[in-house]
């Protein structure tokens, strides 16, 4: 028994993100989208980074002394990179595969990514589309036009 994937664009059942920062519509499929992460760190991330630094520096104080505060210089790029990776992971549309950042860089690559998304997630829909395109492209036999000829 095979499990059919339900196309959320037809059923209007969309994902919800807990505590989203941005609400917008997908530029390609017009599905409602939400994003939890932003491009840059916000004040909560800096507060978390400060608390983490304070905790680790108190643990390292017997060994390193006051120099343990400089541990934040190692944590900051790691937190920044993790935030950027989570943000980039969230950009493509989960319904149609459209990635606005790739569209700004190269339209052909963005189109290819959307096509591969549909081929991997909804192959039955892409097969029907390919059949329709082949039927349109295939030249049909020219119809013979028979003119009224006088019968002698």
């Amino acid at each position: 028994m095979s499990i059919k994937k339900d196309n959320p664009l037809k059923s209007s059942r969309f994902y919800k993100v807990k505590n989203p920062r941005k609400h917008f519509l997908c530029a390609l499929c017009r599905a409602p989208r939400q994003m939890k992460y932003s491009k840059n760190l916000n004040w909560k991330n800096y507060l978390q980074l400060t608390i983490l630094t304070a905790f680790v520096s108190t643990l390292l104080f017997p060994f390193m002394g006051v120099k343990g505060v400089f541990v934040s210089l190692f944590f900051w790029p790691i937190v920044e990179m993790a935030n950027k990776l989570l943000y980039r992971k969230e950009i493509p549309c989960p319904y149609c595969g459209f990635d606005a950042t790739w569209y700004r860089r190269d339209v052909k690559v963005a189109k290819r990514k959307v096509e591969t998304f549909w081929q991997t997630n909804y192959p039955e829909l892409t097969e029907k589309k390919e059949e329709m395109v082949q039927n349109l492209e295939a030249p049909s036999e020219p119809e013979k036009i028979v003119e009224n000829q006088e019968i002698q």
Side-chain angles (χ1 to χ4, degrees), residues 1-120:
M1 187 160 126
S2 66
I3 299 173
K4 281 190 170 181
K5 290 185 182 179
D6 190 22
N7 187 347
L9 294 175
K10 287 184 178 180
S11 65
S12 298
R13 291 175 26 205
F14 300 107
Y15 304 120
K16 292 198 177 191
V17 176
K18 190 174 184 180
N19 300 325
R21 291 188 186 173
K22 293 181 183 177
H23 295 273
F24 59 97
L25 297 176
C26 176
L28 185 64
C29 65
R30 293 192 176 111
R33 298 274 322 275
Q34 300 161 347
M35 290 182 75
K36 183 175 184 172
Y37 299 98
S38 65
K39 187 168 66 170
N40 300 319
L41 296 176
N42 63 4
W43 67 273
K44 286 182 183 179
N45 298 121
Y46 287 115
L47 180 65
Q48 291 170 346
L49 189 59
T50 305
I51 292 170
L52 179 66
T53 302
F55 178 73
V56 172
S57 63
T58 55
L59 289 177
L60 294 177
F61 186 77
F63 306 108
M64 297 179 67
V66 180
K67 294 178 187 176
V69 175
F70 293 109
V71 154
S72 67
L73 297 176
F74 295 109
F75 288 142
W76 193 350
I78 293 170
V79 170
E80 187 83 39
M81 196 171 12
N83 186 54
K84 293 271 187 194
L85 289 173
L86 290 169
Y87 173 73
R88 283 287 300 137
K89 182 182 169 188
E90 210 174 31
I91 289 176
C93 180
Y95 311 112
C96 66
F98 178 71
D99 190 345
T101 55
W102 273 111
Y103 186 77
R104 288 181 71 187
R105 287 185 219 157
D106 192 0
V107 176
K108 292 179 184 176
V109 173
K111 180 182 176 189
R112 203 173 326 123
K113 285 189 172 277
V114 170
E115 288 173 351
T116 56
F117 176 86
W118 279 91
Q119 286 174 351
T120 55

